[in-house]
Amino acid sequence: MTAPRVAWIGLGNIGRGMSQNISKKGPQTGPLLLYNRTTARATAHASNLPNTKAVTTLAEAVTQSDVIFTCVGDDAALNSIVTAILSDPAIPQDLSEKTFVDCSTVHPDTSRHTETAFNARGAGFVACPVFGAPNMADAGLLIVVPAGKRAAIEKARPFFDGVVAKKTIDLSAGEGMLMLDGLLR
């Protein structure tokens, strides 16, 4: 298996640290592509990291990557990104070569909706909430909890332990979504 091309969408407090660690320690090929709705933030962050490039559109991030990470502030922001990706005519309808990994803290219903939307276009999806403060993200010491289909999790796994996380708690194929749903009730 060849190393994937990777994009990171969302450069808040956690996203900056996680993307920094992927840039420095991840197994991707080519530059890590950074997208943020505020382009200046992506450009500034990319200028401080090795093998990293800021892109100005979601289409650039998605079409040039195999694995696309998102880490945004809330459900509305994630829904907005998913809608923009799925409605952009510059992004192919067939996303079967793509795996989306969402590290945002969102409601399980939002994760299910996102998974259904991406799966309908052939893409893999991993709901991957992360636990830890921004300083832990900077140090690559988060706890990640991937949930989804095994094949999608396996594509994302090389970016977890030793890259963005100190520990991975794997909750594959539905059990993770049920556990997260139970925690939020």
Side-chain angles (χ1 to χ4, degrees):
M1 180 175 148
T2 61
R5 299 169 302 156
V6 179
W8 188 276
I9 298 169
L11 295 170
N13 292 332
I14 300 295
R16 281 192 311 273
M18 291 180 75
S19 62
Q20 167 188 294
N21 283 301
I22 288 175
S23 172
K24 293 178 179 179
K25 302 182 277 185
Q28 67 274 6
T29 59
L32 170 65
L33 302 180
L34 298 178
Y35 173 83
N36 196 72
R37 67 182 173 192
T38 306
T39 303
R41 182 177 272 195
T43 302
H45 191 53
S47 71
N48 294 318
L49 297 174
N51 200 26
T52 304
K53 176 185 171 188
V55 295
T56 58
T57 68
L58 286 169
E60 289 175 275
V62 173
T63 60
Q64 297 178 38
S65 301
D66 306 305
V67 178
I68 300 97
F69 287 88
T70 52
C71 187
V72 295
D74 57 27
D75 297 63
L78 181 60
N79 287 334
S80 175
I81 288 168
V82 172
T83 299
I85 289 170
L86 296 178
S87 65
D88 189 331
I91 297 174
Q93 288 291 308
D94 179 5
L95 296 175
S96 60
E97 298 299 317
K98 311 290 181 187
T99 299
F100 292 85
V101 183
D102 181 48
C103 300
S104 310
T105 302
V106 295
H107 193 277
D109 289 344
T110 301
S111 290
R112 283 193 227 14
H113 172 73
T114 302
E115 178 179 37
T116 299
F118 282 133
N119 286 176
R121 298 274 292 272
F125 177 76
V126 179
C128 189
V130 299
F131 297 90
N135 65 329
M136 294 173 73
D138 292 344
L141 297 175
L142 295 170
I143 296 172
V144 298
V145 186
K149 294 177 181 161
R150 175 67 45 210
I153 290 174
E154 291 308 316
K155 287 181 182 176
R157 184 177 304 285
F159 298 93
F160 297 153
D161 290 345
V163 179
V164 299
K166 68 177 179 179
K167 176 77 174 156
T168 299
I169 301 171
D170 188 348
L171 300 173
S172 58
E175 294 91 13
M177 294 296 191
L178 292 173
M179 179 185 152
L180 292 173
D181 192 32
L183 289 173
L184 293 174
R185 287 181 188 238

